[in-house]
Amino acid sequence: MIRLPPHAPGMTIGLFGGSFNPPHEGHRRASLLALRRLGLDRVWWLVTPGNPLKDNAALPPLDKRMAAARREARHPKVVVTGVEAEIGVRYTHDALAYLTKRCPGVHFVWIMGADSLAGFHGWQRWRDIANLVPIVVVDRPGATFSAAQRAAKALARFRIPEREARMLARARPPAWCFLHGPRSGLSSTALRRRNTS
């Protein structure tokens, strides 16, 4: 039996996926911003067994990254899970398809940084992802929103104004919103470089 964090029909839950290698304050800030501005009940950090778009040769074991993520999260409404490994998927679409089917009545929102939006069109079945759940994009230093980005252009007519962000979790997909807020210049890539130099 696959173990999921506590949930119930009617709840609004943000899903924040990534390698979390390592987790950092930027992940936490984005999660707390989404919790507050979207009025979410919870945010689940989906710690991936390995990002299909990256070299995973030096990726630390999942249990170590999950333990580090729990230490970084430090919030009762942010829950760390390795559900992707449990259900045997590596692609965001497959995880979302499983969760939306397994948790009827739960309103999921995909959380991503603005840097991820820039490459979103390269994700497997990215249009299907947008059709499965609403998406919130969180501003990041050096990777703020650009209407010229391929995915942003394709989804432009489904964008919800930031002032109406609280409507997003219950909006019918495709729907997305861009959030501005306190930004962190931290990145997992920079932290890894610092730790190896």
Side-chain angles (χ1 to χ4, degrees), residues 47-118:
V47 184
T48 179
N51 185 330
L53 299 177
K54 295 180 180 177
D55 178 7
N56 298 299
L59 191 65
L62 179 63
D63 59 340
K64 290 189 176 181
R65 289 181 287 122
M66 287 182 61
R70 287 188 184 101
R71 289 191 298 272
E72 186 63 49
R74 304 185 319 275
H75 195 281
K77 292 187 175 184
V78 178
V79 182
V80 176
T81 176
V83 69
E84 289 183 347
E86 286 196 50
I87 62 178
V89 301
R90 295 177 83 85
Y91 292 99
T92 299
H93 174 269
D94 298 337
L96 292 178
Y98 174 87
L99 290 171
T100 53
K101 185 175 181 181
R102 170 82 187 272
C103 308
V106 174
H107 303 278
F108 289 113
V109 177
W110 183 254
I111 302 169
M112 70 166 67
D115 54 333
S116 293
L117 178 64

Side-chain angles (χ1 to χ4, degrees), residues 133-158:
V133 296
I135 298 170
V136 63
V137 181
V138 180
D139 197 15
R140 288 201 58 188
T144 193
F145 173 70
S146 167
Q149 292 165 334
R150 183 169 164 187
K153 284 172 73 172
L155 300 171
R157 67 190 177 103
F158 304 111

Side-chain angles (χ1 to χ4, degrees), residues 21-38:
N21 179 33
H24 54 73
E25 181 63 22
H27 295 129
R28 186 172 186 273
R29 282 191 189 181
S31 299
L32 298 184
L33 180 68
L35 269 168
R36 186 178 76 251
R37 298 282 300 282
L38 274 58

Side-chain angles (χ1 to χ4, degrees), residues 9 128 169 174:
D128 292 331

